[in-house]
Amino acid sequence: MLGRCRQPGPATALFKVMLSEKQLAPTVDVYTALVGAYGYSGLLDEAMATVGLMKGADTDCKPDEYTFSVLINCCCKSRRFDLIPTVLDEMSYLGIGCNVVIHNGIIDGYGKAGMLEEMDDALSNMLQDGDNVPDIYTMNSIIWAYGNRGRVDDMEKWYDEFQLMGVEPDTRTFNIMMKSYGKANMPDKMLSILKYMKRRFFSPSAATFNIIIDCFGRAGNIEKMEYYFRLMKIQGVKPNPITYCSLVNGYSKAGLLDMVPAIIRQTENTDVALDTPFFNCVISAYAKSGDIEIMEEMLVLMKEKKCKPDKVIYTTMIQAYMAHGMDEAAKLLETEMERFNNKLLGPVPVVDYK
């Protein structure tokens, strides 16, 4: 838990407490948790050193497949792909083979970094390995990587290839493809996926409708944006803050900000909790249009709903004030932002990781 909260210092302290208590000898799971606590905070040297400690520990604490899958995942998230060959060599030395999770972690890491050639090589290694076959996670990582880069032809090719391998798509697969078509300004293909899902008895999720609503909103096609929002509710799919944020962006782009209050009123009759990103959209829309008074009202409403403003919201409002020559208001908000940041960050502890 400390690792997930990016608190490697307290995690280290807790680990040392375990070492001092003879009856609480750390297990392989405890060591692996410490590897993750360091790795997910970008402290990869410490994570690698912890794996080194495991090798010298008791037999019950030797690093296993899960340990190395965590370590590789951390390397990918920190974009330290240069460390992956070292990790794989270490696994080979210990007689630990790559399982499908490790292969998928490497493929997904390269894909998210836009390193498509390296991603293809990692997939080839997986196929040549022979012990592991691609699964739905492999498929979704590959088509996401190509779709996100606008290479829809390659995305479609790999979609067909994976089906030939016996990998069947899921709802997330279709959502990935729809989003890629939307980004590529190919709404007809995006809607053809929705029809295909219906024929194959896949139920559209909130994410599915959010993608469609966002696509038509960005294109300024308010009529279709509203149609699919209504269809979403008719089919019993519950809108979420992302849905309402997409609607706000669509209305803002079309110059229809008078529709935004109605959206906010709609949420009051639901159990949807409006979040900071939603108010970010609303405040940004009013700031761009120069509606300073309503922008301020939205900040007040945000605070009333116990939703804390973030740095983006403060920066947006300060820029709007300065653009309208309201320097005094900008300075007051800068002061509030500084207080917010100081409260959020607090004192920075100095931790000895050795």
Side-chain angles (χ1 to χ4, degrees):
M1 187 63 70
L2 289 168
R4 290 175 185 173
C5 296
R6 305 293 190 270
Q7 295 189 43
T12 304
L14 190 58
F15 181 78
K16 288 180 177 179
V17 169
M18 288 193 70
L19 291 179
S20 67
E21 298 285 345
K22 293 182 180 180
Q23 70 272 24
L24 295 175
T27 63
V28 63
D29 292 332
V30 175
Y31 273 106
T32 300
L34 186 61
V35 170
Y38 286 133
Y40 291 123
S41 292
L43 301 170
L44 290 173
D45 289 340
E46 286 81 353
M48 300 281 276
T50 302
V51 173
L53 285 175
M54 294 176 73
K55 291 191 298 179
D58 296 335
T59 304
D60 293 339
C61 292
K62 298 295 184 186
D64 57 14
E65 290 178 340
Y66 181 61
T67 307
F68 284 109
S69 70
V70 169
L71 184 57
I72 284 177
N73 194 25
C74 293
C75 291
C76 291
K77 286 185 180 298
S78 298
R79 304 294 172 89
R80 288 295 308 277
F81 298 105
D82 57 304
L83 295 176
I84 289 179
T86 303
V87 176
L88 295 178
D89 288 343
E90 191 66 38
M91 290 175 61
S92 178
Y93 175 76
L94 294 172
I96 299 173
C98 278
N99 59 21
V100 66
V101 175
I102 292 173
H103 279 297
N104 282 343
I106 296 171
I107 289 168
D108 189 63
Y110 281 131
K112 283 186 167 59
M115 301 169 67
L116 302 185
E117 289 185 12
E118 290 81 356
M119 179 186 73
D120 286 345
D121 290 341
L123 177 60
S124 296
N125 291 336
M126 182 182 190
L127 295 172
Q128 291 171 8
D129 187 10
D131 294 331
N132 299 287
V133 294
D135 58 16
I136 186 61
Y137 299 103
T138 322
M139 179 183 191
N140 287 342
S141 293
I142 295 286
I143 68 169
W144 182 92
Y146 280 113
N148 188 57
R149 291 282 163 168
R151 293 172 58 173
V152 293
D153 290 340
D154 289 313
M155 178 187 75
E156 292 170 342
K157 183 198 80 172
W158 278 109
Y159 173 78
D160 293 336
E161 289 285 342
F162 277 106
Q163 286 201 298
L164 291 174
M165 295 180 205
V167 183
E168 290 297 323
D170 61 6
T171 301
R172 184 168 182 267
T173 311
F174 296 126
N175 287 346
I176 290 168
M177 296 182 75
M178 291 175 72
K179 188 169 185 177
S180 300
Y181 287 134
K183 287 177 65 177
N185 195 25
M186 302 169 73
D188 291 340
K189 281 203 167 186
M190 178 182 68
L191 295 180
S192 71
I193 295 287
L194 185 65
K195 292 177 182 176
Y196 181 77
M197 289 176 68
K198 186 177 180 180
R199 291 199 304 270
R200 294 282 300 272
F201 301 102
F202 281 91
S203 298
S205 62
T208 308
F209 281 106
N210 287 346
I211 289 165
I212 299 172
I213 291 167
D214 181 66
C215 174
F216 285 120
R218 283 187 288 106
N221 193 334
I222 301 303
E223 184 179 350
K224 284 199 171 182
M225 180 187 79
E226 293 177 331
Y227 169 77
Y228 282 100
F229 178 57
R230 290 194 300 271
L231 183 63
M232 179 184 194
K233 293 191 289 185
I234 290 170
Q235 293 192 2
V237 180
K238 181 180 173 183
N240 56 31
I242 296 174
T243 315
Y244 293 110
C245 189
S246 296
L247 290 170
V248 169
N249 287 333
Y251 285 130
S252 174
K253 186 161 186 177
L256 298 171
L257 282 177
D258 55 323
M259 300 293 294
V260 174
I263 294 174
I264 296 174
R265 284 196 298 272
Q266 281 189 47
T267 64
E268 292 174 353
N269 299 321
T270 68
D271 59 353
V272 175
L274 298 181
D275 55 12
T276 299
F278 172 80
F279 281 104
N280 205 333
C281 292
V282 174
I283 289 173
S284 177
Y286 283 117
K288 288 177 182 176
S289 67
D291 294 329
I292 302 299
E293 185 176 347
I294 303 179
M295 177 187 77
E296 293 173 333
E297 290 175 2
M298 290 299 105
L299 181 64
V300 173
L301 177 63
M302 180 181 189
K303 292 177 179 178
E304 287 176 355
K305 290 185 174 292
K306 311 298 182 184
C307 192
K308 293 181 179 180
D310 62 5
K311 186 178 179 180
V312 176
I313 288 176
Y314 282 122
T315 302
T316 299
M317 293 187 67
I318 290 168
Q319 290 174 348
Y321 282 138
M322 295 181 69
H324 288 77
M326 302 171 66
D327 295 344
E328 191 62 32
K331 288 179 181 178
L332 287 172
L333 206 57
E334 282 178 348
T335 302
E336 183 176 333
M337 182 173 70
E338 288 174 3
R339 287 202 303 268
F340 171 80
N341 287 336
N342 290 335
K343 183 178 179 181
L344 183 67
L345 296 174
V348 179
V350 177
V351 181
D352 178 13
Y353 296 110
K354 300 301 181 182

